[in-house]
Amino acid sequence: SIFDKTTEEDKEPPVTHECVADAWDITTYPTDKTEGTKEQKCVECDKTLQTETIKASVGLKFTKVGETYTLQGRGECKDTSVVVPSIYDGLPVTAIANNAFNGDTVLVNILVGEHVNSIGDNAFYNCTSLKSIDLPKTLTKTGSNAFYNCSLLENVYFHGVLVDWLNIDHTNEHSNPTTNNTNLYIDSELVVDLYIPDGEIQIKQYAFVGCDSIKSLSMADTVNTVYTGAFKRALALEMVVIGT
């Protein structure tokens, strides 16, 4: 049958590159009762290379606030890699309390649930073993000194887009996890050549403080405000172009 024939146009094009994995992306967040999933894709062809399940940590301490929960701290959890559930006891976890992990030298990695919109004062103060943190696109506020002296923090993974990141209010220089001279990943991509697009956009205070991955910055001329310390100690930044 002519319908069984495969033409040259029908064949899949040959792979012309060796796939290189992008950062992990969270496809579904875990709850206290269900597993989540994450995946890695090729940076060039977008092919899914790996998938893994994510389980929420057990034993964390929560406090109910209205129809939400706030993570108060480690509680009885012994994990070095903490996974905060998106839902606890049927309600969203929307905040991390002041001092929740203050001085916790056991914590190495933390994945913050998808509904968290605020991180409290001193929440990760002196977490001197913390190496990576995953933050949700819902985050809008980080409290005073939330990430002070997280001296080993290397990678910040933000699971939103650039505009979401720019909407976060950082109370002071040490509120932003990038303050520790870290690499910043936004939507699974390492931020190297940062482009601030057209639109009435404000770059809030300390938005990229200490960010080690940024090498170039281009801004459209409609960016109307760059606030204090937005690029303070972004020491790898070599080129700035305004009005692109």
Side-chain angles (χ1 to χ4, degrees):
S1 165
I2 60 171
F3 298 106
D4 296 328
K5 292 180 180 179
T6 302
T7 66
E8 289 298 319
E9 290 77 10
D10 293 329
K11 293 179 181 178
E12 290 188 6
V15 175
T16 57
H17 68 278
E18 183 176 346
C19 286
V20 177
D22 208 342
W24 286 99
D25 186 31
I26 300 169
T27 50
T28 56
Y29 281 80
T31 73
D32 59 337
K33 295 180 173 60
T34 61
E35 294 180 345
T37 56
K38 63 180 182 177
E39 65 181 16
Q40 272 187 318
K41 291 186 175 183
C42 172
V43 295
E44 186 168 334
C45 67
D46 211 35
K47 176 183 177 182
T48 299
L49 303 178
Q50 296 186 76
T51 59
E52 287 186 9
T53 58
I54 316 169
K55 294 183 179 179
S57 294
V58 176
L60 296 170
K61 183 180 179 181
F62 297 92
T63 298
K64 190 176 181 182
V65 181
E67 294 301 308
T68 67
Y69 276 97
T70 293
L71 174 63
Q72 290 294 333
R74 177 176 286 280
E76 298 178 357
C77 177
K78 305 297 182 185
D79 296 349
T80 57
S81 294
V82 170
V83 177
V84 181
S86 60
I87 302 290
Y88 180 77
D89 198 24
L91 296 174
V93 179
T94 60
I96 296 178
N98 295 346
N99 299 300
F101 292 90
N102 190 337
D104 188 331
T105 58
V106 175
L107 184 65
V108 176
N109 310 291
I110 184 164
L111 188 157
V112 177
E114 69 176 320
H115 301 299
V116 169
N117 55 48
S118 67
I119 294 175
D121 296 347
N122 307 312
F124 297 94
Y125 190 103
N126 273 342
C127 287
T128 53
S129 297
L130 183 63
K131 291 184 177 180
S132 73
I133 184 167
D134 287 74
L135 298 170
K137 65 181 180 182
T138 50
L139 185 65
T140 57
K141 183 175 176 58
T142 58
S144 178
N145 295 326
F147 293 93
Y148 182 85
N149 198 31
C150 295
S151 53
L152 292 184
L153 188 55
E154 298 173 352
N155 296 308
V156 176
Y157 301 98
F158 181 70
H159 298 278
V161 297
L162 177 61
V163 172
D164 297 324
W165 180 262
L166 293 174
N167 282 332
I168 301 173
D169 287 316
H170 303 291
T171 305
N172 65 11
E173 178 177 346
H174 300 290
S175 300
N176 189 335
T178 64
T179 191
N180 301 281
N181 301 109
T182 65
N183 296 314
L184 174 63
Y185 292 80
I186 294 179
D187 196 20
S188 300
E189 292 188 12
L190 182 64
V191 179
V192 178
D193 299 309
L194 176 61
Y195 175 63
I196 310 296
D198 211 18
E200 293 185 8
I201 294 174
Q202 297 180 349
I203 303 178
K204 295 186 177 181
Q205 66 176 10
Y206 308 115
F208 298 96
V209 59
C211 184
D212 259 6
S213 59
I214 300 175
K215 293 184 178 179
S216 70
L217 167 65
S218 301
M219 292 190 293
D221 54 14
T222 52
V223 176
N224 55 22
T225 310
V226 180
Y227 282 95
T228 302
F231 295 95
K232 184 177 181 179
R233 292 187 293 101
L235 300 180
L237 183 58
E238 300 172 344
M239 182 177 69
V240 177
V241 179
I242 298 176
T244 59

